Amino acid sequence: FMSVSPSDFLTSAEHAAEQQTEIGYRNAISRAYYAVFHEALGVAEAHFPDPNAHLQMGEHERLSERYKRWDNLPQSRSISIMLVNMKS
């Protein structure tokens, strides 16, 4: 079993966009989101704890909330907003 990296998702997004079809573009957007999500998750896990670990919530919401509450990174609130906007 091979692990998938954020760059693998990004490469997949690029290939999907090259199709220049609606489904290709939809897949590209989805794969690009997961590239960002997994990169952000890796940074979060390496640098700051999850203040909502005790709460029951979805992983995507959990990650955006984690960035929203992290004060040590000036752009953390922007990253939180970007994650929410990309997901919708």
Side-chain angles (χ1 to χ4, degrees):
F1 173 65
M2 293 176 48
S3 178
V4 178
S5 71
S7 63
D8 293 329
F9 280 107
L10 189 56
T11 299
S12 179
E14 291 166 348
H15 290 306
E18 289 170 359
Q19 295 174 14
Q20 297 184 351
T21 63
E22 181 180 352
I23 193 68
Y25 293 134
R26 287 175 179 245
N27 284 331
I29 292 166
S30 173
R31 298 305 90 194
Y33 167 76
Y34 278 100
V36 171
F37 174 82
H38 285 286
E39 186 67 32
L41 181 60
V43 170
E45 289 178 346
H47 296 288
F48 56 98
D50 181 1
N52 296 315
H54 63 288
L55 299 177
Q56 192 170 10
M57 60 178 29
E59 290 303 309
H60 300 266
E61 179 184 10
R62 180 181 307 282
L63 183 61
S64 66
E65 287 295 318
R66 201 166 170 180
Y67 272 92
K68 188 185 298 182
R69 296 184 187 332
W70 192 39
D71 295 333
N72 294 341
L73 181 67
Q75 62 268 38
S76 65
R77 189 167 286 281
S78 296
I79 293 169
S80 172
I81 292 167
M82 180 190 63
L83 286 165
V84 169
N85 288 341
M86 287 184 76
K87 180 70 175 147
S88 54

